Amino acid sequence: MKTNFNFQLYKNRKIVWLVSFSLCLISIIGMLISLKSNSIKAPLNLGLDYTGGTQITLERSCTDDCTFLNTNDISNNIIALKNQDKNFSSNTSPNLTRSQIQLLDNSKLISIRLPFLSAAQSDSVVSEVNKFFGPFKNENISVEIIGPSLGKQLLKSSLISLFFAFLGIALYINFRYDRRYSFLALFALLHDIIIVCGVFAWLGYLFDVEVDSLFAVSLLTIAGYSVNNTVVVFDRIREKGLLENELSFKYQIDKAVGATLTRTLYTSLTTLLPLICILIWGGSTLYWFAFALLIGVIAGSWSSIALAPSLLSITSNNMIE
Amino acid sequence: MGRKNYWFLVVILFAVLSIFICTNIPFQLGLDLRGGSQLTLEVQTTDDIPKITPDDIEGVKAVLDRRVNGLGVSDSQLQTIGTNQLLLELPGEQDPSGAAKVLGETALLEFRIQRNGTEVQLRDLQTQRNSVESIIKLLEDNNSAQLRKEININNEINKLFEKYNIQSDQILDIDQFNLLKNKINTDIAGLFEPTLLTGQYLTNAGRRQDQITNNWEVTLSFNNEGGELFADLSKSIAGTSRLLGIVIDGISYSEASVGKQFETAGITGGAATISGNFTADDARNLEVQLRGGALPLPIDIVQIRTIGPSLGTQNIRLSLFAALTGLLFVGVFMIFIYKLAGFVAVLALSFYSLFTLSIYALLPVTLTLPGIAGFILSIGMAVDANVLIFERLKEELRNGNTLIRSIDASFKNAFSSIIDGHLTTLISCITLFYLGTGFVKGFAATLGIGVVLSLFTALTCTKAILKFLMSYQGLRKTSNFINPNQIPSPSINLQ
């Protein structure tokens, strides 16, 4: 029997744990800082999908070279709507001073963030901005309005679906292997999720990157991917255990991990290739989605090659030093 | 071509069928890809109905369905989400506020009778309304010279704007006059007292154009109970000076007198007409709202997404380009690492993509941006299955087994890992599909279908293609699969 690598996981297990522990710690610190900061007040910088609000994106119909706009001018025009537009004349109308305006793509795209508006109110904003800063490409106007209650609900349903997906996976591994494997697969998965959340907590805190419902989707995909990877390694460990049960458990694990190492690296690479392509060419809609998956795939490979098997070796009863 | 190649023929047949399906059945594109509006509506509770049951939701949905169909947007979709929400998709609709207006309004239809002693007030208000209406008509005809004359004569108009607290600096704006008209009509409705007859007794509503005045009218018909109420109501004021007011959402649309001839039995037959100077559009909207019936529960629009159609095409172009480039890289990588087997994998993956796309077209799956992401990821899963098999194949070959035996063993040994990996992903897909909403669902659907098909292609297509190629003597060389220096010499092989 020949393996590609003489992989001594057991010997280096403490380094593996230290690396994982530090990464998780930095992640958790990121989430705590984010939670304590006045501008975010949550472990992650929650986007429009979860907090509610209005996002209007307008594309100016100018050729390559758009003249620069002053975001304050746009903001002032929107605030002025309060006094002149019938859709904003009531006392309960939203606070227009709380607008965030961004110019993207060399001043070609105007992105406006406002509190929750009604459809008619958002129309007013679009026509007002059009009056002063247009013309806009009509077919490229995108308006997104999400009520605050819907945002909370989405957050809740995202968390619930995450929880049930984890539970389902745990039950399956429990059924196919045993409780120890299922516990460790979940542990590895949690490790990956914490790292991805941590990266986004830091990104949110430092660069104002927001998490949307696609982020929840990416977490679930990472969960599936992470468990998939861990299970492949576990499957090998179990097979080794059956074939060469005269070997010590830690040795079996080293051999099993060594045998699946190439596969895990190749698989990670073939998954990373499309993701990197989406990052580069996929446009802004999918950028952070692909980025979250990228981090998740890297963390997932690490946890299934190194973390989960090295932990398995200490939980084992038939461990021989 | 022996019996071994039976599967290969089946695979080719499937592929041809898939190409046929993909080219003939159009893909169903989501709103983010084709443009349009998506509205999420939340059903609200009331004091009478503090908890929303599935029946309540169905009731609201039925009413909204009728209203949406009345709007005339093709391909619109209305579906229930969770316990109290409805998702409405209007492809191609760029003006969601128009739709929101028709959907969100409950169009409460009431028949009211005039309060005693309000004759003078009513006459004044009606006169004011008439002047406002004539100005609106002029504004619509854009006859500005005559308009100025009209406004000069009607000094009263300025007073009205003041009275109703409407900013009058842009006095020639048609919207301002419509607002004024509505305020007057609200005041008129206030002079009437509610009766038992409301829109809930309505069985149908229609619209027609008056042959003489060319004005649009909305016609109503009641059920038996409503017909009786209407007869009683008309009887009670027949021949008196009191009028019958038709009030919709607190705004009076017409005030009618009931002739003395109805004193004995009232107006029977259960039909009525509202003539309120409607334009064709007004009449259509009102008809849609009335025929849709009153909503059993109020609704609130909690989310609106509008995507321009060209933004959608741009999204498709970008993500398709990214996906294809990614696949190209994966293909090159696979051939580089696994040689002939890598080539087989590329073939199998192309078949896989064809199968998956044809299933999307057949079911049909609505393709959204996250859906495409799900598809790309499922390709990753499909590649992984192949990698697992070929790694095993290499291992077997390195252990000195013969090629054909190694191929069989590799599929057998990789099977349990492939099954576990796919099933765990499938579990999260199913969870997401049932618990998720909107595009999360779309992602789960595409990934889930991909996972199932990947299991199928990895275990059948890859094997069938590999076996087919192995039936050619020239290809049956171990060096086509691993580097020659890794092939053990026969002497070591004797274990």
Side-chain angles (χ1 to χ4, degrees):
Chain A
M1 193 75 186
K2 218 170 106 188
T3 49
N4 287 2
F5 297 89
N6 192 11
F7 196 67
Q8 293 183 306
L9 184 63
Y10 188 77
K11 209 173 120 193
N12 297 314
R13 65 191 189 282
K14 285 186 177 143
I15 299 170
V16 169
W17 297 340
L18 187 71
V19 170
S20 281
F21 178 77
S22 324
L23 287 175
C24 288
L25 192 69
I26 294 169
S27 298
I28 291 168
I29 289 172
M31 287 187 259
L32 285 178
I33 288 179
S34 181
L35 184 67
K36 291 281 169 209
S37 82
N38 283 328
S39 54
I40 301 174
K41 292 194 183 92
L44 289 160
N45 192 3
L46 299 176
L48 194 72
D49 286 0
Y50 294 122
T51 55
T54 305
Q55 170 139 12
I56 299 171
T57 314
L58 304 163
E59 188 181 334
R60 296 166 67 197
S61 53
C62 45
T63 44
D64 305 336
D65 196 28
C66 284
T67 41
F68 181 74
L69 293 181
N70 190 336
T71 51
N72 278 337
D73 290 346
I74 301 173
S75 169
N76 288 337
N77 272 293
I78 293 172
I79 295 167
L81 276 172
K82 181 107 190 160
N83 299 321
Q84 64 194 44
D85 193 278
K86 61 182 189 295
N87 289 321
F88 290 99
S89 53
S90 79
N91 292 331
T92 52
S93 78
N95 184 0
L96 292 176
T97 52
R98 284 179 46 212
S99 65
Q100 286 173 27
I101 293 157
Q102 271 183 303
L103 294 173
L104 309 162
D105 223 7
N106 287 331
S107 219
K108 201 169 183 183
L109 289 176
I110 305 178
S111 157
I112 304 167
R113 287 278 291 271
L114 285 159
F116 181 62
L117 304 180
S118 73
Q121 287 173 334
S122 76
D123 280 356
S124 293
V125 173
V126 171
S127 62
E128 182 70 10
V129 177
N130 196 10
K131 224 189 291 174
F132 290 96
F133 306 99
F136 296 116
K137 287 187 180 162
N138 262 332
E139 70 278 10
N140 266 2
I141 293 176
S142 121
V143 180
E144 231 175 286
I145 306 173
I146 294 169
S149 68
L150 185 76
K152 283 203 189 86
Q153 224 171 303
L154 256 174
L155 186 64
K156 207 174 110 192
S157 82
S158 301
L159 290 174
I160 289 176
S161 38
L162 262 174
F163 174 78
F164 278 101
F166 291 177
L167 190 73
I169 291 167
L171 286 175
Y172 177 77
I173 303 174
N174 208 7
F175 159 74
R176 285 274 291 165
Y177 299 83
D178 64 23
R179 205 179 304 149
R180 201 180 45 185
Y181 284 85
S182 115
F183 173 77
L184 279 179
L186 272 194
F187 188 81
L189 177 150
L190 212 62
H191 162 270
D192 303 343
I193 298 281
I194 286 175
I195 288 174
V196 176
C197 288
V199 169
F200 274 82
W202 281 108
L203 282 172
Y205 180 67
L206 298 174
F207 304 106
D208 212 30
V209 174
E210 291 176 342
V211 299
D212 53 12
S213 31
L214 271 182
F215 180 75
V217 170
S218 69
L219 284 191
L220 274 148
T221 318
I222 291 163
Y225 181 84
S226 159
V227 172
N228 176 10
N229 255 342
T230 312
V231 161
V232 169
V233 179
F234 281 178
D235 190 55
R236 258 307 167 89
I237 295 173
R238 189 173 61 170
E239 188 191 304
K240 280 274 181 292
L242 295 175
L243 291 178
E244 302 168 59
N245 55 5
E246 76 284 357
L247 294 174
S248 75
F249 194 55
K250 65 172 172 118
Y251 186 61
Q252 287 170 20
I253 288 172
D254 278 2
K255 286 199 89 173
V257 172
T260 50
L261 189 64
T262 349
R263 170 263 159 195
T264 310
L265 292 179
Y266 286 174
T267 309
S268 304
L269 202 62
T270 51
T271 316
L272 288 178
L273 281 174
L275 287 178
I276 292 168
C277 290
I278 296 177
L279 267 184
I280 300 173
W281 296 296
S284 55
T285 336
L286 290 177
Y287 186 85
W288 291 112
F289 177 66
F291 188 80
L293 287 174
L294 189 91
I295 303 291
V297 167
I298 294 169
S301 309
W302 168 257
S303 69
S304 53
I305 295 169
L307 184 65
S310 68
L311 285 172
L312 189 63
S313 67
I314 54 157
T315 61
S316 162
N317 297 327
N318 55 0
M319 190 181 76
I320 308 158
E321 264 301 318
Chain B
M1 289 260 253
R3 209 179 111 62
K4 266 187 225 162
N5 296 327
Y6 175 71
W7 269 108
F8 183 69
L9 284 176
V10 173
V11 168
I12 295 291
L13 201 73
F14 266 129
V16 172
L17 194 68
S18 298
I19 292 174
F20 179 76
I21 291 170
C22 286
T23 47
N24 282 290
I25 301 177
F27 290 101
Q28 194 139 3
L29 299 180
L31 288 182
D32 53 351
L33 298 182
R34 67 197 284 203
S37 301
Q38 186 191 54
L39 291 92
T40 309
L41 314 161
E42 194 170 83
V43 181
Q44 308 286 306
T45 53
T46 60
D47 290 342
D48 295 338
I49 308 171
K51 200 178 176 311
I52 296 163
T53 64
D55 280 349
D56 292 331
I57 284 271
E58 280 311 303
V60 174
K61 197 177 160 189
V63 173
L64 287 180
D65 239 343
R66 268 173 283 169
R67 287 190 188 175
V68 172
N69 288 333
L71 283 173
V73 177
S74 61
D75 271 354
S76 64
Q77 271 190 345
L78 185 64
Q79 62 188 100
T80 317
I81 316 171
T83 52
N84 65 341
Q85 284 183 344
L86 294 160
L87 183 80
L88 173 64
E89 302 209 319
L90 304 168
E93 173 75 56
Q94 286 301 302
D95 171 34
S97 50
K101 206 163 160 252
V102 174
L103 292 176
E105 283 178 6
T106 20
L108 176 64
L109 170 70
E110 292 171 282
F111 285 82
R112 298 187 182 180
I113 49 175
Q114 194 183 358
R115 293 178 206 275
N116 283 317
T118 55
E119 289 81 3
V120 182
Q121 282 166 277
L122 180 62
R123 208 177 306 124
D124 285 351
L125 285 169
Q126 282 176 328
T127 318
Q128 290 168 4
R129 181 177 63 192
N130 288 342
S131 10
V132 174
E133 270 173 1
S134 59
I135 293 175
I136 291 174
K137 208 165 170 50
L138 286 172
L139 278 169
E140 277 165 354
D141 299 341
N142 204 11
N143 193 339
S144 55
Q146 200 184 338
L147 189 67
R148 273 187 213 106
K149 203 170 133 204
E150 182 81 17
I151 292 171
N152 281 338
I153 295 164
N154 275 301
N155 251 336
E156 298 292 309
I157 295 291
N158 284 318
K159 279 185 195 156
L160 280 177
F161 274 107
E162 257 166 56
K163 178 187 167 195
Y164 288 107
N165 203 9
I166 298 172
Q167 302 262 336
S168 56
D169 46 318
Q170 288 179 319
I171 209 156
L172 291 180
D173 188 340
I174 198 162
D175 288 345
Q176 310 261 349
F177 281 97
N178 275 322
L179 187 63
L180 187 60
K181 182 181 146 191
N182 275 348
K183 295 216 173 188
I184 295 170
N185 275 328
T186 311
D187 276 3
I188 291 177
L191 301 177
F192 288 73
E193 57 189 314
T195 65
L196 289 175
L197 186 59
T198 60
Q200 61 175 311
Y201 300 105
L202 211 60
T203 51
N204 204 1
R207 64 177 191 276
R208 65 161 184 242
Q209 199 168 16
D210 190 297
Q211 296 298 318
I212 304 155
T213 62
N214 269 347
N215 277 339
W216 282 87
E217 296 174 334
V218 175
T219 57
L220 309 170
S221 47
F222 297 105
N223 62 12
N224 287 342
E225 206 180 334
E228 276 168 35
L229 281 171
F230 189 56
D232 286 349
L233 199 61
S234 45
K235 193 172 119 187
S236 73
I237 57 166
T240 68
S241 61
R242 294 170 78 191
L243 301 181
L244 179 70
I246 300 174
V247 177
I248 296 159
D249 289 333
I251 294 170
S252 179
Y253 277 80
S254 58
E255 304 89 36
S257 58
V258 181
K260 209 172 167 59
Q261 69 270 32
F262 297 109
E263 231 168 15
T264 43
I267 301 172
T268 52
T273 309
I274 317 173
S275 46
N277 255 335
F278 299 116
T279 64
D281 272 352
D282 288 343
R284 187 193 64 137
N285 279 350
L286 189 58
E287 178 207 336
V288 166
Q289 288 180 26
L290 289 174
R291 191 170 41 195
L295 285 167
L297 286 166
I299 54 168
D300 192 16
I301 297 171
V302 290
Q303 181 198 29
I304 302 170
R305 277 177 210 264
T306 316
I307 310 256
S310 75
L311 209 62
T313 1
Q314 202 177 326
N315 281 343
I316 298 189
R317 233 187 31 236
L318 286 174
S319 45
L320 270 184
F321 177 72
L324 289 177
T325 323
L327 285 181
L328 192 73
F329 283 142
V330 170
V332 171
F333 177 81
M334 292 293 280
I335 293 174
F336 181 72
I337 297 288
Y338 297 112
K339 300 164 154 244
L340 187 63
F343 173 73
V344 171
V346 170
L347 270 183
L349 288 173
S350 316
F351 286 142
Y352 163 79
S353 307
L354 268 179
F355 295 161
T356 315
L357 288 176
S358 64
I359 294 279
Y360 290 168
L362 271 181
L363 274 180
V365 173
T366 307
L367 280 179
T368 57
L369 219 45
I372 290 178
F375 174 59
I376 296 171
L377 279 167
S378 72
I379 292 177
M381 295 279 306
V383 175
D384 179 46
N386 283 294
V387 170
L388 276 170
I389 294 166
F390 298 149
E391 278 301 308
R392 286 290 178 135
L393 178 62
K394 274 185 162 182
E395 221 172 279
E396 298 290 331
L397 289 174
R398 270 190 232 112
N399 288 341
N401 289 320
T402 63
L403 189 56
I404 296 300
R405 191 179 297 169
S406 296
I407 288 175
D408 281 333
S410 64
F411 278 93
K412 212 175 114 234
N413 289 333
F415 182 74
S416 86
S417 300
I418 293 175
I419 275 278
D420 286 345
H422 280 74
L423 280 184
T424 42
T425 311
L426 197 59
I427 288 171
S428 41
C429 285
I430 292 169
T431 323
L432 265 185
F433 190 79
Y434 277 102
L435 298 174
T437 51
F439 61 93
V440 176
K441 240 187 167 78
F443 172 83
T446 48
L447 184 58
I449 291 168
V451 166
V452 172
L453 282 175
S454 149
L455 200 58
F456 170 76
T457 37
L459 299 176
T460 57
C461 285
T462 309
K463 198 171 183 175
I465 298 168
L466 205 52
K467 290 239 157 155
F468 172 72
L469 293 179
M470 287 306 102
S471 64
Y472 291 97
Q473 187 66 43
L475 295 171
R476 220 182 293 154
K477 272 190 230 140
T478 311
S479 59
N480 279 339
F481 293 90
I482 58 174
N483 289 329
N485 59 12
Q486 286 185 314
I487 305 171
S489 56
S491 58
I492 305 172
N493 192 24
L494 299 167
Q495 286 184 344

